[in-house]
Amino acid sequence: MCASTRLARPRRCGGGALFPGVIATQTRKQLMTRKPSRPTVATIARDLGISPATVSYALNDKPGVSAAMRERVVGHAHEVGWTPHSGAQALRRGRSGNIGLVLVRDPEEVSREPFYSAVTAGIESSTSVHGYELMIRFVRGGADAESDVFRTWSHQRRVDGVVLLDLAEDDHRPAVLEALTMDFAVLGHYSGPESFAKVMTAEADDARTVVEHIIERGYDGCIQLTGPAQYAHERRRLELLRSLCQEYRIPHSTASGPYTIDSGLAAFEASDLLLSSRPAVVASSDLIAIGALRGAQRRGVAVPEQLGLVSWDDSLIAELTVPSVTALARRPFEMGRLAGDLLVRQIEDAGTPRTELQVEPASLIIRESTGGL
């Protein structure tokens, strides 16, 4: 027999015996420590002894409520910390309150890529100010898989607009979005018949900045390591640098691959270091640049004495590696912020004409990999 039998009738004996008094005490403690729920229209109505409809009219500044009652409701709402539910507001406007971003990339790869992280943060920072949530999807099936996501989002009314990155030469995604009557913003140099907002980079100026810098530092050749060749911005950079090298009469070679350190290493190891007596590598991203730097170290090539190195994207990685890497500070956060802001304007004002913004040319941060500092 349990020692507690004389005191109370337990529901069961043993180490897990439960007693009515203990249960009651625990319940009281839980009630005392339970956090108050988020104030709602219903709780405000209950507090003031009026109908939820009256509260709703007062908070939304609709007719049918006296000025005194509106002041009373608004004052109490402020006192209890009530804030409007963004989802409900969006539904009243006939919108979802979401902005979509699809990345045709490996999520783990993107997590290591500072440029995409900064762009995404910029988009989120501007859209959240306007009360929109950013929805991000990763797909591996290319542009077709991305278009399928757009169709699903449109059918389910999940997003009000999307931001497009990494456009290809004959990119069909804008036409898909136009057919779905979905607003979108492009981060890049795409031109087409669709109605969209666009943020462009000053790539021609940036390319000249890079080539003139390597020539000024005494490098007499350019080994260009690009990202995936299907992207329009990579082809444009390739054409720009090749043309500038011809203008300055220095040899030019190229190799392409993903935006990873391993890709940069492989591309560098396959490159022709005998292109000139003292070439410079121009990498399309900081991670590709780090791969090239590792390749140079493996082959015993001194940077910057025998080989220069410039990254098209600046980051903390480029700054902290040894030697530190000269890079273009292109402000990807600002690019994303502008794209998100233009998209929201387009969503909320259907009469807004197509808006195009070009960011200022990037500044070159000169570091040890080209003899700086």
Side-chain angles (χ1 to χ4, degrees):
M1 179 178 294
C2 294
S4 58
T5 304
R6 296 178 183 176
L7 300 176
R9 184 185 296 272
R11 286 164 54 187
R12 65 176 183 269
C13 294
L18 299 177
F19 303 101
V22 174
I23 293 173
T25 301
Q26 289 177 340
T27 302
R28 284 195 296 270
K29 287 181 179 179
Q30 289 171 355
L31 290 172
M32 291 173 63
T33 59
R34 183 179 297 166
K35 293 181 180 179
S37 59
R38 179 180 183 273
T40 65
V41 168
T43 59
I44 293 173
R46 186 185 62 218
D47 293 345
L48 299 178
I50 57 179
S51 71
T54 301
V55 174
S56 179
Y57 289 166
L59 293 175
N60 290 286
D61 201 23
K62 292 183 178 180
V65 179
S66 67
M69 177 59 74
R70 179 173 288 109
E71 183 178 352
R72 181 185 175 204
V73 170
V74 171
H76 183 71
H78 179 73
E79 181 182 335
V80 298
W82 176 87
T83 55
H85 191 284
S86 59
Q89 287 187 318
L91 288 175
R92 282 195 293 271
R93 297 195 305 264
R95 304 191 187 113
S96 68
N98 297 322
I99 299 296
L101 176 65
V102 181
L103 295 174
V104 190
R105 302 284 301 279
D106 178 351
E108 186 174 357
E109 179 183 316
V110 172
S111 71
R112 299 191 183 103
E113 174 55 68
F115 179 84
Y116 286 93
S117 300
V119 167
T120 302
I123 296 170
E124 200 281 333
S125 72
S126 62
T127 54
S128 63
V129 166
H130 298 284
Y132 288 82
E133 300 287 340
L134 181 62
M135 291 180 59
I136 302 178
R137 283 284 301 274
F138 290 91
V139 296
R140 294 178 182 267
D144 290 337
E146 185 173 357
S147 296
D148 288 340
V149 173
F150 296 152
R151 293 186 183 98
T152 300
W153 278 349
S154 175
H155 176 70
Q156 298 176 350
R157 298 183 178 180
R158 296 289 300 280
V159 302
D160 301 314
V162 300
V163 178
L164 289 184
L165 306 177
D166 295 334
L167 276 85
E169 288 289 341
D170 349 344
D171 207 304
H172 64 273
R173 294 175 298 168
V176 170
L177 291 168
E178 181 84 357
L180 296 171
T181 65
M182 185 179 291
D183 289 305
F184 66 98
V186 171
L187 186 51
H189 287 254
Y190 174 81
S191 60
E194 303 85 10
S195 177
F196 59 93
K198 178 166 65 174
V199 176
M200 299 175 293
T201 55
E203 287 186 341
D205 293 316
D206 294 346
R208 184 168 291 278
T209 295
V210 169
V211 173
E212 289 183 348
H213 173 71
I214 63 177
I215 289 174
E216 287 170 2
R217 293 296 165 123
Y219 300 105
D220 57 1
C222 176
I223 301 171
Q224 185 176 4
L225 306 183
T226 76
Q230 71 265 27
Y231 295 150
H233 65 271
E234 291 293 356
R235 295 186 144 193
R236 192 163 43 254
R237 292 177 190 177
L238 179 58
E239 292 167 2
L240 287 167
L241 259 66
R242 180 183 288 145
S243 175
L244 287 166
C245 287
Q246 290 175 352
E247 178 183 331
Y248 287 98
R249 300 181 182 278
I250 63 173
H252 172 274
S253 68
T254 185
S256 66
Y259 299 110
T260 64
I261 293 176
D262 289 344
S263 171
L265 174 60
F268 179 82
E269 290 182 337
S271 63
D272 180 12
L273 291 183
L274 299 179
L275 178 72
S276 65
S277 61
R278 190 171 179 251
V281 169
V282 178
S284 272
S285 80
D286 47 358
L287 296 185
I288 293 176
I290 300 307
L293 180 59
R294 288 184 180 178
Q297 292 168 341
R298 285 187 183 183
R299 295 172 66 169
V301 178
V303 177
E305 294 81 6
Q306 296 172 287
L307 179 78
L309 177 60
V310 179
S311 170
W312 206 279
D313 287 330
D314 189 28
S315 70
L316 190 61
I317 295 173
E319 181 181 350
L320 297 182
T321 193
V322 179
S324 56
V325 178
T326 296
L328 285 167
R330 299 196 302 133
R331 301 179 294 277
F333 180 89
E334 181 69 8
M335 295 181 199
R337 190 191 66 77
L338 289 172
D341 190 61
L342 289 181
L343 178 57
V344 170
R345 290 190 205 175
Q346 184 166 311
I347 291 170
E348 298 193 342
D349 186 357
T352 300
R354 185 166 78 183
T355 307
E356 298 181 1
L357 289 178
Q358 177 154 340
V359 298
E360 295 181 358
S363 54
L364 188 68
I365 310 301
I366 301 173
R367 299 194 178 101
E368 295 168 337
S369 67
T370 56
L373 300 180

